[in-house]
């Protein structure tokens, strides 16, 4: 099985995830993380589920101030994505990446509708036909709803920009001209071609479709994809694939996160918008169950495979020195969701004994949490995303409420019993090997120096 996976299955998968487009997508999306975290912190402050706190924040006006920061960071994460993806693509090709990122940003704005209806809480106050002058950009398409369009524009812009520079199609100035001036002229031809191209795209959609590219992509591509991820089956695929990749020594969280992350983050942002509007995310208000928080707090909490139960067993119940040592090392890092010492030290990677609980535990946790949310045992996630190193229980409280924190504690507690029978088997094997090795050492000492074995 291991040979089949390593020789037949993993090579094409790794070839795909290492393509320039997927690499640019994964690395480009990292540009959004600081702003997602900043916006999440202030969204949490503005919408903490404590009645006295919420009343005080509203009375003092601090809630509106915190939401201003959220709207300018987490709320417009598609801007950071489109810039980051084009920037990464061109940087990987060895060219100055900033002009490409800015070109992608301009392109993203070009495909936005310049006259949009003015709405509050979904109610149209002024129709698009009556808007004669717009002095602001509609943030609707700068957040999660514009994410797939941002990814597409970032990738296409990065590719075309590099295509021009690879063929040396640019304005060249003498060496005496300052680099800053020369660089701006270098970007002139590719930036002009790209922006004109996106303008043509905008015109075609406006004239023939009476819509925009970003709205078209959202309806035809993004909405179905988000719908697929926000199902029990979609959740199970994500939950199973991450530890499955890790079992073969491949960083599953990076691979799956790079591909599925934009959709999960878009689901999180949809919930965040509901929360910021003063409502409670639910099925009735268009909330999503499968979000980045579901994966982070119930799929990879304490590390991929939810190995904290295994670490507790190794630390307090194992007989072998190897498992005891790894357990003591891993219990501290596991609190901060880092478990690479456990994955490679136990080992779990390529270990058939521990494969079943390692692969199934995230699916059990995420599946049970999905059903708990669906049937109202715990609330929908409110939308904020906390840093991945946030300790469990605290992270559950921040993304949900006290019920979410208790449920998270229960899932982590359950991981002990899922891992225990398999961990005991592994421990017995290692303990037997250690006893045999010790016996051989003692026998060798007796034969060499006449030392009496005890």
């Amino acid at each position: 099985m291991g040979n089949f996976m390593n020789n037949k299955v993993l090579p094409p998968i790794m070839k795909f995830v290492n393509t320039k487009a997927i690499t640019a997508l994964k690395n480009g999306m990292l540009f959004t993380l600081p702003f997602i975290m900043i916006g999440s912190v202030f969204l949490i402050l503005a919408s903490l589920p404590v009645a006295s706190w919420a009343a005080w924040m509203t009375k003092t006006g601090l809630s509106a101030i915190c939401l201003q920061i959220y709207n300018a960071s987490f709320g417009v994460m598609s801007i950071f994505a489109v810039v980051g993806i084009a920037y990464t693509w061109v940087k990987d090709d060895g060219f100055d990446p900033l002009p490409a990122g800015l070109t992608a940003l301009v392109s993203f704005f070009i495909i936005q509708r310049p006259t949009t209806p003015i709405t509050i809480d979904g109610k149209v106050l002024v129709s698009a036909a009556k808007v004669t002058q717009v002095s602001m950009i509609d943030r609707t398409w700068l957040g999660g709803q514009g994410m797939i369009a941002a990814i597409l524009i970032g990738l296409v812009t990065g590719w075309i920009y590099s295509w021009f520079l690879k063929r040396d199609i640019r304005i060249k100035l003498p060496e005496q001209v300052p680099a800053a001036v020369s660089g701006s002229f270098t970007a002139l031809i590719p930036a002009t071609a790209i922006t004109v191209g996106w303008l043509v795209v905008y015109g075609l959609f406006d004239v023939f479709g009476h819509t925009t590219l970003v709205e078209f992509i959202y309806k035809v591509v993004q909405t179905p994809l988000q719908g697929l991820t926000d199902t029990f089956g979609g959740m199970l695929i994500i939950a199973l694939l991450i530890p499955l990749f890790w079992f073969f020594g491949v960083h599953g969280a990076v691979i799956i996160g790079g591909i599925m992350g934009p959709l999960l983050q878009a689901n999180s942002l949809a919930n965040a918008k509901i929360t910021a509007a003063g409502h409670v995310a639910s099925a009735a208000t268009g909330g999503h169950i499968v979000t980045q928080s579901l994966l982070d707090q119930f799929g990879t909490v304490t590390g991929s495979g939810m190995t904290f139960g295994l670490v507790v067993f190794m630390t307090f119940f194992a007989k072998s020195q190897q498992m005891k040592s790894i357990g003591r090392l891993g219990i501290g890092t596991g609190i901060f969701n880092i478990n690479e010492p456990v994955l490679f030290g136990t080992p779990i990677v390529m270990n058939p004994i521990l494969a079943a609980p390692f692969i199934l535990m995230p699916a059990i946790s995420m599946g049970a949490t999905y059903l708990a949310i669906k049937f109202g045992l715990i609330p929908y996630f409110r939308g904020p995303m906390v840093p991945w190193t946030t300790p469990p229980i605290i992270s559950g409280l921040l993304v949900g409420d006290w019920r979410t924190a208790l449920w998270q504690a229960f899932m982590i507690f359950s991981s002990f019993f899922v891992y225990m029978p398999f961990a005991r088997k592994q421990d017995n094997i290692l303990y037997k090997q250690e006893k045999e090795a010790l016996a051989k050492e003692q026998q060798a000492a007796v034969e060499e120096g006449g030392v009496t074995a005890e």
Side-chain angles (χ1 to χ4, degrees):
M1 181 63 179
N3 289 335
F4 173 77
M5 290 294 295
N6 285 317
N7 296 328
K8 301 295 184 181
V9 177
L10 287 179
I13 293 176
M14 294 307 300
K15 184 177 180 180
F16 169 73
V17 299
N18 288 321
T19 58
K20 188 171 292 185
I22 298 300
T23 300
L25 172 60
K26 290 189 298 182
N27 296 336
M29 287 298 297
L30 294 177
F31 284 81
T32 69
L33 290 182
F35 306 102
I36 288 174
M37 298 309 171
I38 293 170
S40 294
V41 168
F42 286 94
L43 180 60
I44 290 170
L45 291 175
S47 60
L48 202 64
V50 178
S52 57
W53 173 270
W56 180 78
M57 289 289 288
T58 302
K59 181 179 179 180
T60 59
L62 291 175
S63 179
I65 293 174
C66 289
L67 290 178
Q68 181 73 0
I69 298 176
Y70 155 78
N71 286 327
S73 52
F74 193 0
V76 292
M77 66 179 183
S78 289
I79 289 179
F80 308 117
V82 72
V83 173
I85 291 169
Y87 181 99
T88 301
W89 185 299
V90 174
K91 182 180 179 182
D92 289 345
D93 280 338
F95 303 111
D96 182 11
L98 184 57
L102 297 178
T103 302
L105 178 61
V106 172
S107 302
F108 190 48
F109 287 149
I110 286 174
I111 66 166
Q112 308 285 333
R113 189 183 298 277
T115 55
T116 59
I118 298 175
T119 63
I120 293 181
D121 293 340
K123 297 180 180 179
V124 177
L125 301 182
V126 180
S127 66
K130 294 182 179 179
V131 176
T132 57
Q133 183 177 1
V134 177
S135 58
M136 62 182 181
I137 299 174
D138 186 0
R139 275 202 294 246
T140 300
W141 307 107
L142 303 183
Q145 290 181 219
M147 181 55 69
I148 299 300
I151 290 172
L152 173 65
I153 291 168
L155 292 174
V156 173
T157 299
W159 171 65
I160 296 176
Y161 192 94
S162 287
W163 184 89
F164 273 88
L165 296 190
K166 285 179 179 178
R167 286 156 181 79
D168 209 24
I169 306 174
R170 51 181 157 178
I171 296 175
K172 299 178 183 178
L173 297 179
E175 295 181 359
Q176 294 80 4
V177 176
V181 177
S182 177
S184 63
F185 277 89
T186 297
L188 186 58
I189 292 179
T192 300
I194 291 168
T195 53
V196 170
W198 286 118
L199 181 62
V200 171
V201 171
Y202 169 79
L204 292 174
F205 274 89
D206 185 58
V207 173
F208 297 104
H210 304 293
T211 185
T212 64
L213 176 62
V214 65
E215 294 172 20
F216 176 80
I217 291 175
Y218 177 72
K219 292 176 182 178
V220 176
V221 180
Q222 183 167 337
T223 298
L225 286 177
Q226 284 186 250
L228 287 174
T229 60
D230 199 27
T231 62
F232 192 83
M235 174 275 303
L236 279 181
I237 292 173
I238 296 171
L240 291 170
L241 283 180
I242 290 177
L244 180 63
F245 277 115
W246 259 123
F247 176 75
F248 293 98
V250 181
H251 202 307
V254 170
I255 293 174
I256 302 302
I259 298 172
M260 300 302 299
L263 293 173
L264 296 180
Q265 290 171 15
N267 288 349
S268 294
L269 184 56
N271 286 11
K273 288 182 67 176
I274 296 169
T275 301
H279 304 301
V280 177
S282 65
T285 57
H288 297 275
I289 296 177
V290 184
T291 65
Q292 189 67 45
S293 294
L294 178 65
L295 175 60
D296 290 345
Q297 315 315 328
F298 291 94
T300 58
V301 64
T302 74
S304 295
M306 291 185 64
T307 54
F308 198 73
L310 172 63
V311 169
V312 170
F313 174 87
M314 292 194 294
T315 303
F316 299 105
F317 301 98
K319 296 179 292 183
S320 65
Q321 289 302 313
Q322 178 175 333
M323 292 192 78
K324 279 183 175 293
S325 300
I326 297 299
R328 291 167 185 154
L329 177 64
I331 199 164
T333 59
I335 294 173
F336 297 96
N337 307 313
I338 300 170
N339 69 339
E340 277 78 359
V342 177
L343 296 180
F344 295 100
T346 308
I348 293 176
V349 172
M350 298 299 291
N351 184 344
I353 296 174
L354 295 174
F358 179 70
I359 294 172
L360 292 177
M361 185 60 222
I364 293 171
S365 176
M366 291 178 66
T369 304
Y370 181 98
L371 295 175
I373 294 173
K374 194 170 186 64
F375 291 109
L377 296 179
I378 60 176
Y380 277 63
F381 300 112
R382 293 183 295 120
M385 293 167 54
V386 297
W388 66 272
T389 51
T390 304
I393 316 305
I394 296 175
S395 61
L397 179 65
L398 293 176
V399 302
D401 62 11
W402 63 270
R403 291 170 293 175
T404 312
L406 285 179
W407 184 264
Q408 190 182 41
F410 176 67
M411 288 295 102
I412 296 172
F413 176 75
S414 302
S415 70
F416 174 83
F417 298 98
V418 173
Y419 273 101
M420 183 174 65
F422 302 92
R424 182 172 289 155
K425 177 67 174 178
Q426 176 74 10
D427 182 48
N428 289 335
I429 293 173
L430 294 176
Y431 184 61
K432 181 180 179 181
Q433 292 174 349
E434 289 174 358
K435 287 178 62 177
E436 291 174 351
L438 179 60
K440 289 181 180 180
E441 290 177 3
Q442 292 175 338
Q443 183 62 35
V446 170
E447 293 175 353
E448 292 178 6
V451 180
T452 302
E454 294 181 357

